[in-house]
């Protein structure tokens, strides 16, 4: 969700286009925009659901959530890993377009700090429709700090960056049992790195830690190491992506079936086959377990191999959203919240909580159907399309420095 653009090099043709691959303006690799646009649309579904359904019902709790609610939440799990992985790949590609290592590091630090600032200002107000009461440590926080970490890692060989990323992803679950509640710098650091929850600070201030950083830094580092794959000729790239996608997905299935490592929540046989499948897929996002990342990044890479073959009527809107990820993100948050307010007002439901505790606490009895959620999701996407198309066109035509921050 930053302005690290994904381009290809003019390795194969004098025009700067890679033969046999669908590309957009300025040599952008459209399949990346399509993947990013797809998961961004799914993200809106999750945020609309946050404001329309009972916040006390955890959609991943199979004891209380219906299969439809569980899978509505599950499909949105692909968003954050894909965003952060592609941000890492884009960072590598930014380094192939004339930036020195020092320039790229500075670029990553500035973009990271900008995203962290946006999380504490625009996102915080949009999320709650109140002035910030806590320091948010959510998705932009995770991307921002991961970029800052990557700014230091890129001084190492790319293979080493990838190895560090894989190590962070593969082994952080060894420390799932380490839970700290004490105060102090060490405790605070551990909770920011690996233990989600509310972290109290002095003066009544606190940090809402939803995205512990260790595995997310790993995902961005792996994305950076993956970056050269996007530069190889299309047919070979597709072969690599399919192999990686299938390999990661099969790795998830095999390791999950063993039920011995990779996620702190083992799966169990349920009352119905569908619920058993749900239990198998019910991996932990906070922090993202090894199995969670295998489950999401495998299919994402497989999709990246084929998305550029979508028909134009689907590819056009998806690519438009994918070209302006941060702009899209900043618009969709207040829009999802506003739709929640509109539905509550129209249906005579409690509205005050949407300006006080939303989306974390809802009043007793507040709820809407999944059909309402999906309808509002479609409305939100339709509303977002025109401003995103306008801004994508602005970015295509102009090179003003401020545009790089959106």
């Amino acid at each position: 969700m930053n302005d690290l653009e994904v381009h290809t090099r003019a390795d194969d043709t004098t025009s700067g286009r890679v033969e046999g691959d669908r590309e957009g303006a300025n040599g952008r690799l459209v399949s990346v925009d399509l993947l990013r646009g797809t998961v961004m649309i799914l993200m809106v579904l999750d945020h609309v659901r946050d404001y329309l359904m009972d916040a006390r019902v955890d959609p991943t709790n199979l004891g209380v959530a219906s299969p439809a609610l569980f899978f509505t939440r599950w499909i949105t799990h692909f968003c954050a890993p894909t965003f952060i992985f592609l941000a890492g790949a884009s960072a590598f590609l930014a380094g192939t377009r004339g930036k020195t290592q020092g320039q790229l590091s500075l670029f990553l630090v500035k973009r990271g700090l900008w995203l962290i600032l946006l999380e504490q200002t625009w996102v915080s107000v949009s999320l709650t429709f109140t002035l910030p009461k806590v320091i948010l440590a959510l998705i932009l926080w995770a991307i921002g700090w991961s970029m800052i970490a990557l700014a230091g890692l890129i001084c190492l060989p790319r293979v080493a960056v990838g190895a560090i990323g894989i190590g962070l992803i593969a082994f952080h679950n060894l420390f799932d049992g380490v839970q700290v509640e004490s105060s102090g710098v060490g405790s605070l650091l551990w909770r920011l790195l690996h233990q989600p929850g509310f972290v109290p600070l002095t003066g009544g201030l606190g940090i809402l830690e939803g995205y512990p950083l260790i595995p997310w830094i790993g995902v961005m580092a792996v994305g950076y190491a993956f970056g050269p794959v996007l530069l190889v000729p299309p047919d070979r790239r597709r072969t690599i992506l399919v192999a990686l996608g299938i390999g990661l997905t099969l790795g998830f299935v095999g390791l999950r079936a063993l039920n011995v490592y990779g996620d702190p929540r083992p799966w169990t046989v349920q009352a119905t086959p569908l619920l058993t499948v749900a239990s198998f897929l019910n991996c932990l996002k906070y922090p993202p377990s090894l199995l969670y990342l295998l489950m999401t990044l495998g299919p994402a890479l497989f999709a990246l191999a084929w998305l550029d073959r979508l028909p134009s009527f689907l590819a056009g809107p998806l690519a438009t959203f994918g070209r302006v990820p941060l702009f899209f993100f900043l618009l969709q948050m207040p829009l999802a919240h506003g739709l929640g307010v509109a539905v509550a007002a129209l249906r005579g439901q409690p509205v005050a909580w949407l300006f006080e505790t939303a989306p974390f606490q809802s009043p007793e009895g507040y709820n809407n159907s999944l059909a309402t959620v999906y309808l509002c999701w479609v409305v939100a996407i339709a509303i977002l399309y025109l401003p995103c198309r306008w801004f994508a066109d602005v970015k295509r035509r102009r090179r003003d420095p401020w545009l790089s921050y959106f």
Side-chain angles (χ1 to χ4, degrees):
M1 279 176 279
N2 55 16
D3 194 53
L4 289 169
E5 305 285 344
V6 178
H7 292 71
T8 56
R9 292 185 302 187
D11 288 344
D12 298 306
T13 68
T14 58
S15 66
R17 306 279 179 144
V18 180
E19 293 181 349
D21 198 22
R22 180 191 284 177
E23 293 193 33
N26 303 320
R28 293 179 65 95
L29 190 61
V30 173
S31 57
V32 173
D33 286 332
L34 291 170
L35 178 58
R36 193 158 43 203
T38 299
V39 295
M40 286 162 56
I41 287 175
L42 292 175
M43 173 187 64
V44 179
L45 174 62
D46 196 41
H47 292 165
V48 168
R49 178 191 59 78
D50 281 338
Y51 294 103
L52 290 176
M53 301 196 75
D54 188 346
R56 297 167 302 169
V57 176
D58 178 1
T60 67
N61 183 346
L62 298 178
V64 296
S66 68
L69 178 58
F70 171 83
F71 284 105
T72 295
R73 176 66 179 109
W74 180 82
I75 195 65
T76 66
H77 281 331
F78 290 87
C79 302
T82 303
F83 279 138
I84 296 180
F85 180 85
L86 291 179
S90 299
F92 172 83
L93 295 175
T96 68
R97 297 195 299 276
K99 281 184 168 62
T100 66
Q101 186 179 95
Q103 289 172 330
L104 180 57
S105 290
L106 180 61
F107 180 85
L108 289 167
V109 169
K110 290 193 300 183
R111 293 306 181 272
L113 292 174
W114 172 236
L115 293 178
I116 293 166
L117 176 63
L118 285 174
E119 183 100 292
Q120 309 315 316
T121 53
W122 177 273
V123 173
S124 182
V125 173
S126 299
L127 187 71
T128 62
F129 282 178
T130 61
L131 293 177
K133 297 182 177 66
V134 297
I135 297 172
L136 291 182
L138 304 178
I139 181 64
L140 293 190
W141 168 281
I143 297 176
W145 283 112
S146 294
M147 284 183 175
I148 293 170
L150 185 62
L153 288 174
I154 63 171
C155 65
L156 301 173
R158 183 174 55 84
V159 173
V161 176
I164 291 171
I166 291 172
L168 292 176
I169 291 171
F171 300 119
H172 79 93
N173 286 118
L174 292 172
F175 302 95
D176 287 341
V178 180
Q179 300 289 310
V180 298
E181 301 298 335
S182 60
S183 59
V185 175
S187 175
L188 173 62
L189 182 61
W190 177 249
R191 297 184 73 171
L192 293 176
L193 291 175
H194 199 264
Q195 183 178 327
F198 181 76
V199 184
L201 301 176
T202 59
L205 188 65
I207 302 174
L208 182 60
E209 176 54 278
Y211 282 72
L213 295 176
I214 287 178
W216 295 119
I217 292 171
V219 172
M220 186 167 287
V222 169
Y224 178 86
F226 166 85
V229 173
L230 296 174
L231 301 176
V232 303
D235 289 342
R236 184 181 169 208
R237 181 173 68 242
R238 183 169 287 113
T239 299
I240 294 171
L241 289 171
V242 169
L244 286 173
I246 292 176
L248 291 179
T249 303
L250 290 178
F252 160 72
V253 173
L255 186 57
R256 184 62 164 161
L258 294 175
N259 235 2
V260 294
Y261 180 73
D263 194 277
R265 295 191 299 202
W267 66 277
T268 58
V269 176
Q270 302 287 311
T272 68
L274 182 59
L275 286 175
T276 299
V277 170
S279 178
F280 193 86
L281 297 175
N282 195 15
C283 296
L284 189 68
K285 180 181 180 180
Y286 307 108
S289 68
L290 166 62
L291 285 167
Y292 175 94
L293 293 171
L294 290 175
M295 176 182 71
T296 52
L297 289 176
L301 289 174
F302 189 83
L304 186 60
W306 300 104
L307 277 172
D308 60 345
R309 299 195 175 185
L310 284 175
S312 296
F313 76 94
L314 290 175
L318 289 176
T320 295
F321 291 137
R323 290 185 187 112
V324 290
L326 182 56
F327 182 78
F328 178 100
F329 181 85
L330 295 177
L331 287 185
Q332 61 81 36
M333 185 64 74
L335 177 58
H337 196 163
L339 286 171
V341 173
V343 169
L346 288 172
R347 301 192 64 182
Q349 297 172 325
V351 174
W353 78 279
L354 289 159
F355 296 86
E356 297 171 353
T357 60
F360 308 111
Q361 297 177 2
S362 56
E364 187 174 353
Y366 178 85
N367 204 16
N368 290 282
S369 67
L370 271 178
T372 302
V373 171
Y374 278 92
L375 176 61
C376 289
W377 175 49
V378 173
V379 169
I381 298 304
I383 292 172
L384 288 165
Y385 178 68
L386 287 180
C388 287
R389 188 176 70 175
W390 165 79
F391 193 66
D393 187 57
V394 170
K395 291 185 69 176
R396 179 183 60 82
R397 291 185 287 103
R398 300 174 59 174
R399 289 295 179 266
D400 300 20
W402 68 270
L403 290 172
S404 68
Y405 288 89
F406 292 94

